Amino acid sequence: LHQERRKSEEEVQEKIEYRDGKVEEVLADGRRILTFHDGTKKEISADKRMTTISFSNGDVKKIMPDQRVIYYYADAQTTHTAYPDGLEVLQFPNNQIEKHYPDGTQEIVFPDHTVKCLYSDGLKETFFPDGTVVKVEKNGDKIVVFSDGQREIHTAQFRRREYPDGTVKTVFCNGRQETKYSTGRVQIKDEEGNLILDK
């Protein structure tokens, strides 16, 4: 029964051949199929709300009833979906997904579930599966927050590691090191690593 129903749906009610080589078929279920001389096919649903264009190179473009446009690039095996609100989503064959928002923000989800966000103001945030978060400001300053509570701050002037117990170790760009322990002890070393203060 299913095959019979499908056959009747595929049954051509009307066929029009145009001088330019285009052929238009109207099927029993109301769909229209236009076949162009280059092999491109355009199928329009019976309610005219959905259009599918199949190109000779294997690419497929679908215009959905909700106005989404889905384009499949056959060579790259990549799908690009454009939403009416301006959101664009790219899906790659390695399962990487990129979202481009109308405000300029980009979100990339990598196959290992790492998520990278690029904001229009220049801020970059990366969320790793282990809970580590890396933020890079527009000026290049970087903050790394580890899942164990440690924090690292990198600037042009210094690199600082903050430990959960309150200990803070700073290495300045000239090589000088300063460690402040949670007990109140302070240790300073010069550029060569010589201890110059410990109290």
Side-chain angles (χ1 to χ4, degrees):
L1 284 171
H2 177 71
Q3 285 179 336
E4 283 179 27
R5 191 181 323 121
R6 182 135 194 244
K7 192 175 181 181
S8 71
E9 288 172 358
E10 295 290 325
E11 193 177 302
V12 177
Q13 296 285 86
E14 183 181 356
K15 186 174 185 176
I16 305 164
E17 294 183 21
Y18 296 92
R19 281 189 227 150
D20 62 2
K22 178 174 66 175
V23 176
E24 182 176 354
E25 297 173 314
V26 179
L27 304 180
D29 64 2
R31 287 180 296 144
R32 296 177 105 67
I33 299 176
L34 294 148
T35 305
F36 298 88
H37 69 280
D38 66 356
T40 300
K41 282 190 176 194
K42 180 177 184 178
E43 182 178 320
I44 303 164
S45 64
D47 62 5
K48 296 183 175 57
R49 296 185 60 213
M50 187 167 135
T51 303
T52 303
I53 303 167
S54 302
F55 298 95
S56 55
N57 66 356
D59 288 4
V60 178
K61 179 180 181 179
K62 289 185 179 187
I63 302 166
M64 307 301 283
D66 62 4
Q67 297 307 303
R68 277 179 301 145
V69 177
I70 303 168
Y71 197 104
Y72 175 74
Y73 296 91
D75 282 349
Q77 296 179 337
T78 299
T79 302
H80 175 252
T81 305
Y83 292 83
D85 64 3
L87 172 66
E88 294 185 34
V89 179
L90 292 144
Q91 293 174 285
F92 298 93
N94 67 351
N95 293 325
Q96 178 174 315
I97 298 172
E98 289 185 17
K99 294 180 181 178
H100 298 255
Y101 294 90
D103 68 358
T105 301
Q106 292 181 35
E107 179 183 290
I108 304 163
V109 180
F110 295 95
D112 69 353
H113 303 292
T114 297
V115 178
K116 187 175 200 170
C117 297
L118 310 167
Y119 300 97
S120 54
D121 64 1
L123 174 68
K124 297 176 188 170
E125 282 185 305
T126 306
F127 303 88
F128 293 92
D130 69 356
T132 301
V133 178
V134 178
K135 292 181 184 182
V136 180
E137 299 287 341
K138 187 177 181 179
N139 66 4
D141 290 357
K142 178 161 68 169
I143 299 170
V144 181
V145 180
F146 297 95
S147 56
D148 65 0
Q150 292 185 46
R151 283 173 39 108
E152 235 178 63
I153 301 166
H154 300 210
T155 70
Q157 295 77 33
F158 63 84
R159 285 181 174 227
R160 176 177 294 144
R161 175 72 78 121
E162 300 171 355
Y163 297 88
D165 70 355
T167 300
V168 177
K169 183 174 184 174
T170 306
V171 178
F172 296 91
C173 61
N174 63 4
R176 195 176 118 235
Q177 298 177 31
E178 179 180 289
T179 306
K180 295 179 181 178
Y181 296 94
S182 56
T183 59
R185 178 180 165 201
V186 176
Q187 194 177 60
I188 299 175
K189 295 181 181 179
D190 67 12
E191 303 81 40
E192 283 87 41
N194 301 316
L195 187 64
I196 55 175
L197 178 72
D198 191 354
K199 69 173 197 170

